[in-house]
Amino acid sequence: MIISKKMSAAPFFAEENLKHELNVLLKRGVHGLYLFAVDEGLQQRLKECCIH
């Protein structure tokens, strides 16, 4: 199977896009930001990053 440069850059683009979206939401949210994660690994990572 041949993987193109476009396909290998997809995970990087997805992560950068998510960072940008969260940045916008955090700056424009009047009442804060609520996140819900179904994936248990993502739930744990979000808890680790949470600042109280």
Side-chain angles (χ1 to χ4, degrees):
M1 183 171 148
I2 299 172
I3 298 175
S4 69
K5 289 181 183 180
K6 214 177 219 185
M7 287 179 70
S8 64
F12 174 76
F13 174 75
E15 183 176 338
E16 287 301 308
N17 191 38
L18 179 60
K19 287 178 184 178
H20 174 71
E21 290 171 355
L22 288 174
N23 186 32
V24 170
L25 289 171
L26 288 170
K27 288 182 178 176
R28 295 186 184 170
V30 175
H31 300 288
L33 174 67
Y34 296 90
L35 295 176
F36 179 80
V38 177
D39 180 72
E40 290 182 20
L42 180 56
Q43 286 176 1
Q44 186 61 38
R45 183 69 178 125
L46 289 171
K47 288 177 184 176
E48 292 170 4
C49 294
C50 184
I51 300 172
H52 293 285

